[in-house]
Amino acid sequence: MGQAAILTVDDDPSVSRAIARDLRRRYGDQYRVIRAGGASEALEVLKELKLRGGRVAVMLADYRMPQMNGIEFLEQAMDLFPHARRALLTAYADTDAAIQAINVVDVDHYLLKPWDPPEEKLYPVLDALLDAWQATGDQELPDIRLVGHRWSEPSFQIRDFLARNLVPYKYFGADEPEGRRLMEAADAGPESIPLVVTADGRALPRPSVQEVAEAAGLSTNPGRDFYDLIIVGGGPAGLGAAVYGGSEGLKTLLIERQAVGGQAGQSSRIENYLGFPDGISGAQLTDRARRQADKFAAETLNTREVVGLRSDGSARTLTFADGGEISAHAILLATGVSYRPLVAEGVAGLTGSGVFYGSASTEGPACAGSDVYIVGGANSAGQAALFFAKYARKVTLLVRGDSLESSMSYYLIQQLAQVANIEVRTRCEVVGAHGDGHLQAITICDSKGGTKATVECGYLFVFIGAEPRTDWLGDAVLRDGKGFIRTGSDLVVNGDRPRGWDRDRDPFYLESSVPGIFAAGDVRANSIKRVASAVGEGAMAVALVHRYLEAQ
């Protein structure tokens, strides 16, 4: 197919010639540099390349072009070459446009004009874009195929795992023709459901999540025995620490038992995160953070559950559920929180079969035309309501409190009020779930009138409370009465440091009762439960780890 192309689009002839010249100087021996004088001309070039079987590695488009601006061009160009990396050329006055491009077309980077000297301002960006493109090429990634039952909890767990880890897959019902063909080819019976067929044709009957992760190419084993910093938990705090730890030269390992991104990664839309005025999905934010961590050589370990923590002299050692161990100079606990189980008759037996914890975005299209109920009054519940309202006939938000004002951000309350098929019901709770094999109805108790009513319901999504994932710690570090990890000044009472503290200093701000063990994000006592604050604490923890290591 010949050399892959780097396409530049700019209606200013002098700028177009200049960037093409700089690109040919650096990349002309490996890539075909093509320049177009406008968006329409560039689209014709891309169509011709597509017909001839060509490949496009990178597209650089000027923002200010007549008839069609750079963002509009990149949106159309993505349909032809979805795997090409995309960058926007902007002037200093157009940084808002660059941010819009990041949100609308998932632009990988934006470049400010002028880019002189190119060795500092152009080539490093292009090198990174080309490296990313070469990692995947311009070919469709082979999909994992999953055969399952619509209302099977094990089938849902695998679908949810693949979706949250951004692993391409195709789902087929066991009663669909393609599902039956895959089962016949694998010589698999009903007892093999869920059945996973890997990209290379291997059949995995009723696989564990770790087996699915390995089949998908996710890393499940560490690359070394000892690290400078190990992070437990891959939510915003953990990802923030991984990016900063890797970028500052620490040998960093992030361990995640389920899916990188945590609860934030499940959010359909985060609209109050700095730098994204049009909002960004949790999956997009997670993917970018994970790519940043990879860029700085921070390792990520998937589907490994940590069950123990101890001190071995100056080392801190973690124990895995399978008995394996891993050690580091310092540990950051960023395990976040989990949604509290809904205690009501029938709920436990229908979990994964109509009752879901978190947004479970894979269920969105299946909710088309149905009545969806959401339990909870915080931001995550509000974001889920907006997401499912796009599919469902009606979404009802069930709130135990008197109003949303005390638990939900103002902007979300305003958005909910503007969506016609969303209803908010306060002072009510679910007291029962009913169904034969899958959820069919729920019983709601209205505390305002003291009445109970059973209503048809095929989907119930639960977002109630937050429980820290710290039971596995035992007495390794001090926790408060609710299980959140105490850190910094919370550990010093009347001038007395925590029992067993062996340093001639007070604990650092994010340090636990054991020197060298830190906590960040939602799992930390008295933390602010917001994505931005979690990311900030993750970054701050790395600075404190450096101080700890320097004093060793």
Side-chain angles (χ1 to χ4, degrees):
M1 291 184 290
Q3 291 179 318
I6 298 175
L7 175 69
T8 72
V9 191
D10 200 306
D11 66 309
D12 185 328
S14 62
V15 174
S16 180
R17 286 193 298 269
I19 193 166
R21 178 199 65 221
D22 288 341
L23 291 176
R24 290 193 181 102
R25 183 187 305 161
R26 174 73 170 245
Y27 306 104
D29 59 337
Q30 294 177 297
Y31 296 90
R32 181 184 174 194
V33 177
I34 302 173
R35 67 184 182 96
S40 298
E41 178 186 341
L43 287 174
E44 290 302 317
V45 169
L46 291 176
K47 290 175 183 177
E48 185 176 346
L49 283 170
K50 191 72 174 179
L51 290 174
R52 294 185 176 185
R55 298 172 298 157
V56 178
V58 175
M59 295 183 285
L60 297 94
D62 182 48
Y63 172 63
R64 294 194 179 190
M65 295 188 292
Q67 285 80 50
M68 185 187 302
N69 67 34
I71 297 174
E72 294 165 339
F73 162 74
L74 289 173
E75 282 188 286
Q76 295 193 32
M78 285 171 65
D79 294 332
L80 294 167
F81 291 94
H83 300 288
R85 297 293 164 167
R86 299 169 291 279
L88 195 70
L89 295 170
T90 68
Y92 283 105
D94 295 329
T95 52
D96 287 345
I99 294 172
Q100 181 187 356
I102 290 172
N103 290 308
V104 174
V105 293
D106 200 17
V107 163
D108 296 287
H109 210 286
Y110 68 89
L111 289 162
L112 291 174
K113 299 186 289 186
W115 54 85
D116 290 328
E119 289 77 13
E120 295 180 11
K121 298 183 179 180
L122 176 63
Y123 297 151
V125 173
L126 263 292
D127 288 345
L129 294 178
L130 290 168
D131 286 346
W133 178 80
Q134 288 172 353
T136 58
D138 202 28
Q139 306 298 319
E140 290 289 342
L141 295 174
D143 288 342
I144 284 176
R145 287 161 290 173
L146 168 64
V147 182
H149 291 302
R150 175 70 190 87
W151 298 112
S152 160
E153 182 179 5
S155 297
F156 165 74
Q157 293 295 343
I158 293 177
R159 289 172 60 204
D160 187 58
F161 172 79
L162 292 171
R164 290 181 61 190
N165 283 281
L166 304 178
V167 176
Y169 77 97
K170 293 179 179 176
Y171 174 78
F172 303 98
D175 55 351
E176 297 177 9
E178 183 61 21
R180 289 195 295 268
R181 284 192 287 269
L182 286 170
M183 291 180 65
E184 290 172 5
D187 195 23
E191 71 282 354
S192 300
I193 302 298
L195 175 71
V196 169
V197 181
T198 66
D200 59 3
R202 291 181 296 120
L204 304 176
R206 297 186 66 86
S208 66
V209 170
Q210 186 166 355
E211 289 174 320
V212 174
E214 291 171 351
L218 299 177
S219 175
T220 59
N221 291 297
R224 62 179 72 233
D225 296 324
F226 196 90
Y227 291 83
D228 295 321
L229 171 64
I230 296 179
I231 304 157
V232 185
L239 285 168
V243 168
Y244 279 89
S247 69
E248 294 183 16
L250 296 179
K251 295 180 178 64
T252 303
L253 174 69
L254 184 149
I255 302 172
E256 171 54 49
R257 68 185 185 95
Q258 192 171 16
V260 173
Q263 286 189 7
Q266 293 180 279
S267 175
S268 57
R269 206 73 182 164
I270 301 171
E271 297 198 56
N272 58 353
Y273 189 71
L274 184 67
F276 296 93
D278 296 317
I280 185 171
S281 73
Q284 287 176 309
L285 189 62
T286 296
D287 182 47
R288 291 175 183 178
R290 179 165 49 187
R291 281 160 44 194
Q292 275 185 297
D294 290 342
K295 171 184 175 181
F296 294 120
E299 290 183 44
T300 299
L301 204 59
N302 299 275
T303 67
R304 296 297 295 272
E305 184 174 6
V306 178
V307 297
L309 169 62
R310 70 174 188 271
S311 297
D312 292 324
S314 63
R316 305 292 178 257
T317 300
L318 296 166
T319 303
F320 294 117
D322 61 6
E325 294 186 342
I326 192 80
S327 298
H329 289 301
I331 301 290
L332 174 63
L333 303 173
T335 49
V337 296
S338 57
Y339 293 115
R340 187 175 296 123
L342 176 60
V343 180
E345 183 180 355
V347 167
L350 294 170
T351 299
S353 301
V355 177
F356 304 97
Y357 287 89
S359 62
S361 57
T362 54
E363 302 301 303
C367 295
S370 301
D371 288 343
V372 169
Y373 286 80
I374 295 175
V375 182
N379 280 8
S380 53
Q383 290 159 350
L386 292 170
F387 172 75
F388 287 110
K390 300 174 185 176
Y391 302 96
R393 186 184 73 85
K394 182 180 180 181
V395 174
T396 303
L397 194 61
L398 303 175
V399 183
R400 190 172 185 176
D402 294 330
S403 69
L404 291 173
E405 277 73 11
S406 62
S407 56
M408 187 178 293
S409 294
Y410 176 77
Y411 80 91
L412 267 178
I413 297 174
Q414 298 302 304
Q415 290 184 9
L416 292 174
Q418 295 171 9
V419 180
N421 63 333
I422 295 179
E423 177 186 1
V424 178
R425 293 181 56 181
T426 59
R427 295 180 63 188
C428 59
E429 56 185 309
V430 175
V431 295
H434 321 281
D436 183 12
H438 64 90
L439 181 67
Q440 294 169 310
I442 59 174
T443 299
I444 302 171
C445 178
D446 188 334
S447 61
K448 288 177 285 190
T451 60
K452 292 183 180 180
T454 299
V455 297
E456 291 185 2
C457 173
Y459 298 89
L460 179 69
F461 298 92
V462 181
F463 299 83
I464 54 173
E467 295 182 339
R469 295 174 178 168
T470 57
D471 288 345
W472 61 275
L473 285 168
D475 58 1
V477 297
L478 290 178
R479 297 177 287 154
D480 67 12
K482 296 181 179 179
F484 292 92
I485 299 170
R486 295 170 58 193
T487 60
S489 60
D490 286 347
L491 294 167
V492 181
V493 180
N494 297 324
D496 293 329
R497 295 165 181 160
R499 181 179 300 177
W501 187 260
D502 60 358
R503 305 297 161 104
D504 187 23
R505 61 169 175 82
D506 288 347
F508 293 136
Y509 178 64
L510 299 177
E511 197 169 21
S512 75
S513 57
V514 177
I517 299 177
F518 299 80
D522 290 359
V523 75
R524 191 177 67 83
N526 301 316
S527 65
I528 297 173
K529 307 298 188 281
R530 287 291 185 269
V531 175
S533 60
V535 172
E537 287 193 5
M540 185 192 304
V542 172
L544 296 176
V545 166
H546 272 294
R547 290 177 61 184
Y548 169 78
L549 294 176
E550 289 167 0
Q552 286 292 91

